[in-house]
Amino acid sequence: MASKAYDKSFREEVYEKVDSGEEIKLCMQCGVCGITCPLRDEMTYGPRQIWSLIRAGKREEVMNSPDIMLCTSCYACKVRCPRGVKVIDVMHGLARYALQQGIVPRKETAKFGKVFWDCIAKTGRIDETDVPMRYSLTAGPIHGLFNALEMMDIGRALLSHKRMKFKLGPGIPPAKKIKGIRGLKKMLKKAAALSPGKES
Ligand code: SF4
Ligand code: SF4
């Protein structure tokens, strides 16, 4: 249910602290981004309304909206926006800002993001078999097993087209690391030290 609270400071806070938050100032509320978005039926508000809520100071609605974690960076909105607003950057910036404050607007996205990030940080690449397996198991081994059975046809097709490697389980055999993995780890460590909390 929508909260009645209006927080006048929220708008300035977004402009100042959210990555690319100032982009919202460019928006003329035409609604093209919302109509263009392939996830519009999954979203409650969509980007245009999220910007409106920010301008109105509706902190709770924005910070807890799963919409800000639903953006898949397809770039459809960015391409069509008449004002060139970096919609994707703002959506991801809002999601990161919520997470930094301990708010998880969409748990499944956060879980998948962690598995995805862990794989990159450990090996320097995305292992297309390990990531879905590990993600399935975040809901427990029984769920993981049922999910694997459900996805069996897709898995078989991916294997037959060499789009996926066969594995007995997550990390069996271990995902291959890139050659420069040490350098990458050093870079990530340095980036984390420069921007605490932004690695999530
Ligand atoms: S398409 Fe651009 S200008 Fe139009 S509502 Fe979306 S962000 Fe605003
Ligand atoms: S980039 Fe994100 S917000 Fe924009 S159209 Fe694609 S999914 Fe929707």
Side-chain angles (χ1 to χ4, degrees), residues 180-197:
I181 188 66
R182 279 187 171 188
L184 176 70
K185 285 189 176 180
K186 271 188 196 169
M187 271 196 283
L188 293 178
K189 204 172 165 187
K190 181 109 185 187
L194 289 171
S195 314

Side-chain angles (χ1 to χ4, degrees), residues 26-34 48 51 77 80-83 85 87:
L26 298 171
C27 174
M28 60 180 191
Q29 288 288 300
C30 68
V32 168
C33 53
R48 182 191 68 78
W51 306 168
C77 54
R80 295 192 64 194
C81 174
R83 303 300 297 270
V85 175
V87 179

